[in-house]
Amino acid sequence: MTIPPAQVGMRVEEVDTPALIVDLDAYERNLDRMVSSLGGSSVRLRPHAKTHKCPIITHHQVSRGAVGACCQKVGEAEVLIADGVRDVLVTNQIVTPGKIARLVALAKKAVVSVCVDDAENVRDLDAAAGPVGVRLPVLVEVDIGPHRCGVDPGEPAVALAKLVDSSRHLRFAGLHAYHGKAQHIYALEDRINAMEAAIGLTAETIRLLKEAGLECEVVTGGGTGTYQIEAASGVFNEVQPGSYIFMDVDYKRVEGFPSTFENALFVIATVMSRGKEHAVCDAGLKASSIDSGLPTVWDRPGLAYLKPSDEHGSLRSTDSTPLPRIGDRIWLVPGHVDPTVNLYDWFVCVRGGYVEAMWPILARGALR
Ligand SMILES: Cc1ncc(COP(=O)(O)O)c(C=O)c1O
């Protein structure tokens, strides 16, 4: 890990840049908003840790009622479980012998479940779970529209579920039905329409499974952009939003209930050069991901962040706003939260102008 950019008790102005800042008040309001938005419903909250990769944050979520966490990688699950998280769903296919061995070893230490979309993979998981003495809960992933992973809904999903159910060391736990593409459909009506079709496919698969004598204990899906739609469907009993804790430029464009969450994550940067028409700050491509669009400048209307290169970001005035001066600090809202977080070792957590906590991003780089 790199040297922390700040120490607890420092004034925010003293934090070295670029650094990843969490506005604790906004973050805590986001945590609470998620809980109250699900209030009164029996739908369980299992937030995705791919957003933050930080066990401290999962503990905050669990202390507010989440049943556990989702992870995308075995390495992320290892970090969370080593830090005391008791229930982790790996929302992914784990296929190589080494990773499968690590997965079943984890299932000795905590409740660990995993997704499948292939018969050979089911047989490999079963073969690995037996000698370790675990009965691994397995969810069949169904492709309800995004065409990423997942078996087709309906009969193909039922056939795979039957194979899981007949495997001695596996337990059929239900369906994983996540529509990644729908999360960022900006118009609420279009998003609802996309999810209506997806929820229909999920419901029909559940019906066919029931006919085959298989009950779904868990039906899980839903990110920040759609979780309220799954939660209200009567079909899903678990949702797995991640980005809501921090938000980003792209998610703020998503109309409807996601917009109730606040920006709580920022990259702070320092201006290090100034020309006639632009200024240059110390946050470029290695400080903020641009796969979903450029960062925006927080609280400085009239100032745009443009043309990042590896270690440089250009700032231009879009009206008559004066350019910032050398040494000025600017706060950027990342275009996309998850890959930005993965660039840092530390969250610098601030409240009232001071650094209140430093949280290590322990699963940063846990890509395996
Ligand atoms: C399977 C799965 N579940 C949940 C999420 C969380 O989604 P979001 O960050 O949009 O809330 C993701 C994000 O990519 C995901 O891949």
Side-chain angles (χ1 to χ4, degrees):
M1 290 178 95
T2 51
I3 295 166
Q7 284 171 10
V8 170
M10 246 181 194
R11 286 186 300 117
V12 175
E13 293 75 36
E14 295 171 313
V15 174
D16 202 1
T17 66
L20 196 59
I21 300 283
V22 176
D23 173 342
L24 285 172
D25 288 332
Y27 160 77
E28 288 168 6
R29 283 193 294 270
N30 286 342
L31 291 180
D32 292 339
R33 259 184 210 119
M34 173 55 71
V35 174
S36 59
S37 74
L38 291 170
S41 113
S42 58
V43 173
R44 295 184 300 259
L45 174 63
R46 182 186 289 279
H48 216 300
K50 73 191 280 292
T51 306
H52 54 76
K53 291 172 166 276
C54 172
I56 291 173
I57 294 180
T58 292
H59 291 309
H60 291 163
Q61 292 169 317
V62 169
S63 74
R64 284 168 165 83
V67 293
C70 294
C71 286
Q72 212 75 307
K73 301 286 183 168
V74 178
E76 291 172 347
E78 285 170 337
V79 169
L80 291 192
I81 290 168
D83 206 75
V85 176
R86 305 303 316 142
D87 189 335
V88 174
L89 163 63
V90 179
T91 57
N92 226 341
Q93 285 65 27
I94 303 303
V95 299
T96 56
K99 286 196 184 75
I100 291 176
R102 285 162 54 206
L103 181 80
V104 295
L106 277 181
K108 290 287 269 183
K109 300 181 186 161
V111 179
V112 174
S113 43
V114 71
C115 296
V116 296
D117 67 1
D118 176 73
E120 197 57 42
N121 184 216
V122 171
R123 288 188 269 272
D124 289 345
L125 290 170
D126 188 42
V132 177
V134 296
R135 188 148 179 255
L136 193 68
V138 170
L139 286 87
V140 169
E141 176 159 3
V142 280
D143 178 5
I144 53 169
H147 308 317
R148 188 168 68 175
C149 299
V151 68
D152 282 346
E155 290 302 345
V158 175
L160 197 61
K162 281 182 180 166
L163 180 65
V164 173
D165 187 55
S166 66
S167 305
R168 206 159 145 224
H169 307 292
L170 308 180
R171 181 168 68 76
F172 173 65
L175 296 181
H176 183 245
Y178 176 73
H179 198 324
K181 283 192 184 150
Q183 304 310 313
H184 296 263
I185 297 176
Y186 296 154
L188 180 59
E189 201 184 324
D190 295 345
R191 209 167 342 120
I192 290 173
N193 289 340
M195 286 314 299
E196 220 166 79
I199 288 167
L201 294 170
T202 311
E204 174 60 4
T205 305
I206 294 168
R207 189 187 69 73
L208 292 172
L209 284 165
K210 216 174 227 161
E211 266 181 23
L214 291 174
E215 287 295 331
C216 291
E217 176 193 320
V218 178
V219 181
T220 183
T224 303
T226 68
Y227 78 97
Q228 287 202 12
I229 305 170
E230 280 91 341
S233 67
V235 171
F236 286 72
N237 60 14
E238 191 172 286
V239 290
Q240 41 184 262
S243 300
Y244 74 97
I245 56 169
F246 292 147
M247 299 299 283
D248 55 31
V249 173
D250 198 49
Y251 246 131
K252 272 299 195 184
R253 298 188 184 113
V254 176
E255 187 186 282
F257 54 88
S259 65
T260 60
F261 297 104
E262 298 172 52
N263 288 111
L265 188 81
F266 304 90
V267 170
I268 47 166
T270 303
V271 173
M272 56 187 189
S273 173
R274 190 178 187 228
K276 280 202 187 75
E277 297 192 348
H278 76 289
V280 180
C281 72
D282 59 1
L285 295 171
K286 294 180 189 171
S288 191
S289 139
I290 61 162
D291 61 294
S292 298
L294 292 172
T296 54
V297 183
W298 182 249
D299 218 15
R300 301 281 290 262
L303 209 55
Y305 176 95
L306 299 161
K307 291 194 192 156
S309 56
D310 289 353
E311 285 88 9
H312 301 80
S314 180
L315 298 161
R316 282 182 191 259
S317 175
T318 55
D319 49 26
S320 52
T321 304
L323 286 171
R325 289 199 292 253
I326 290 176
D328 282 359
R329 292 154 77 87
I330 54 154
W331 290 49
L332 300 171
V333 180
H336 187 185
V337 58
D338 304 34
T340 299
V341 167
N342 196 50
L343 298 169
Y344 291 86
D345 288 326
W346 296 94
F347 289 119
V348 180
C349 305
V350 307
R351 195 183 325 255
Y354 287 87
V355 177
E356 183 174 304
M358 296 289 294
W359 298 340
I361 305 173
L362 291 178
R364 177 205 176 176
L367 304 178
R368 290 174 288 275

